[in-house]
Amino acid sequence: MKALLLEDDLILSKEIISFLKSMKIDCDAVFDGEVFFRQQKLDTYDIYLLDINVPKLNGLDVCNKIRESDKSTPILMLSAYRDIQDKMDAFNIGADDYLVKPFHFEELYIRIKALLRRSAIPQEKKDVIKIKDLEIDTIDLKVKRNGHVIELTPKEYQLLLILAKANGRVLSKQAISEQIWDVHFDSNLNTIEVYINFLRKKIDKDYPEKLILTRSGFGYYMNIEAAEE
């Protein structure tokens, strides 16, 4: 496994590289966004670790540019910005996870392993999951509603797929978090709310019948009930 780290704090960068290598993860590091893409062309990486506040192209710009051509390689944002809007901005352009500085290296390792494990799981061979006018293609990773293609980030797609496979059962935030991140950090529970809001804007906003529903105090589920005659 190999990571590419974008981090302009040279001391922190060296510490991360040393720690990851001790955990059997090779890591290259660059200090600005322009150098990042030069380095990216020189090798193949399994995951990208992006600090947001770096020179030239910042981490958000780098994430956005990666996602223009690469929808699958996991991206973990590293940032001192802890506001929910900062997290939403990162998730909205395709980040898979967000870790607030300062952090324990052990938590960084757990997040990386979870993202790499998820990205390595082969897609199921079932072609299309249909819920009313929603279609989820599990081979081409495409989503349509009423025939219209809906663009989702990798994590949005994964969350939608988890809800769809539950077949109408209510899933708690904790259950969703464990399936997507494989960890038990309370911070992920707020992240689930962010992703649910993203999905609702893309899946339900323009349609009178809502498919992603909330059971107050319990969690979220898909509306699979047939409409009354």
Side-chain angles (χ1 to χ4, degrees), residues 20 24-25 32 37 50 56 58 65-66 80-81 83 124 135 148 208 211:
L20 291 182
K24 311 302 182 185
I25 298 177
D32 74 51
F37 288 106
L50 308 180
K56 300 181 179 179
N58 66 38
K65 189 172 180 179
I66 290 171
Y81 304 138
D83 290 345
E124 294 191 2
E135 297 182 359
H148 299 289
L211 298 182

Side-chain angles (χ1 to χ4, degrees), residues 76-128:
L76 171 57
M77 307 302 296
L78 310 174
S79 176
Y81 304 138
R82 60 181 62 245
D83 290 345
I84 191 65
Q85 185 60 52
D86 296 316
K87 296 179 181 181
M88 290 177 66
D89 290 343
F91 291 136
N92 202 34
I93 60 173
D96 296 289
D97 204 353
Y98 191 107
L99 187 56
V100 176
K101 297 178 180 180
F103 50 79
H104 295 289
F105 288 163
E106 288 78 8
E107 180 174 352
L108 172 64
Y109 174 71
I110 291 172
R111 300 277 186 112
I112 290 173
K113 291 292 287 184
L115 289 173
L116 290 173
R117 183 161 51 249
R118 288 298 175 187
S119 66
I121 295 175
Q123 296 298 318
E124 294 191 2
K125 296 304 181 182
K126 183 178 178 182
D127 290 339
V128 177

Side-chain angles (χ1 to χ4, degrees), residues 162-163 165-171 179 215 220-222 224:
I162 288 170
L163 291 171
K165 287 182 177 180
N167 198 32
R169 289 185 294 107
V170 178
L171 298 179
Q179 290 189 63
R215 181 163 293 173
Y220 306 101
Y221 65 102
M222 295 293 290
I224 64 171

Side-chain angles (χ1 to χ4, degrees), residues 12-186:
L12 178 59
S13 178
K14 290 180 180 179
E15 290 177 345
I16 290 175
I17 291 172
S18 177
F19 172 76
L20 291 182
K21 287 188 175 180
S22 74
M23 304 305 289
K24 311 302 182 185
I25 298 177
D26 289 333
C27 183
D28 291 332
V30 294
F31 59 89
D32 74 51
E34 292 184 358
V35 176
F36 176 93
F37 288 106
R38 292 201 292 271
Q39 178 62 38
Q40 186 193 36
K41 294 177 181 179
L42 300 178
D43 209 338
T44 300
Y45 296 95
D46 301 291
I47 189 168
Y48 300 119
L49 312 175
L50 308 180
D51 182 20
I52 291 180
N53 189 21
V54 295
K56 300 181 179 179
L57 287 177
N58 66 38
L60 293 177
D61 292 333
V62 170
C63 178
N64 193 41
K65 189 172 180 179
I66 290 171
R67 286 294 180 239
E68 290 176 0
S69 58
D70 179 355
K71 304 294 185 183
S72 59
T73 303
I75 297 175
L76 171 57
M77 307 302 296
L78 310 174
S79 176
Y81 304 138
R82 60 181 62 245
D83 290 345
I84 191 65
Q85 185 60 52
D86 296 316
K87 296 179 181 181
M88 290 177 66
D89 290 343
F91 291 136
N92 202 34
I93 60 173
D96 296 289
D97 204 353
Y98 191 107
L99 187 56
V100 176
K101 297 178 180 180
F103 50 79
H104 295 289
F105 288 163
E106 288 78 8
E107 180 174 352
L108 172 64
Y109 174 71
I110 291 172
R111 300 277 186 112
I112 290 173
K113 291 292 287 184
L115 289 173
L116 290 173
R117 183 161 51 249
R118 288 298 175 187
S119 66
I121 295 175
Q123 296 298 318
E124 294 191 2
K125 296 304 181 182
K126 183 178 178 182
D127 290 339
V128 177
I129 297 174
K130 294 184 179 181
I131 300 176
K132 300 189 176 183
D133 59 350
L134 179 71
E135 297 182 359
I136 305 171
D137 187 324
T138 62
I139 301 297
D140 294 331
L141 310 184
K142 293 181 179 179
V143 176
K144 294 181 181 180
R145 184 158 187 193
N146 196 29
H148 299 289
V149 175
I150 299 173
E151 297 292 340
L152 299 179
T153 66
K155 272 295 184 289
E156 289 169 355
Y157 175 86
Q158 193 173 2
L159 174 56
L160 179 64
L161 192 60
I162 288 170
L163 291 171
K165 287 182 177 180
N167 198 32
R169 289 185 294 107
V170 178
L171 298 179
S172 68
K173 291 180 184 178
Q174 188 64 52
I176 293 171
S177 178
E178 290 173 5
Q179 290 189 63
I180 295 180
W181 281 274
D182 283 352
V183 291
H184 299 271
F185 299 119
D186 291 339

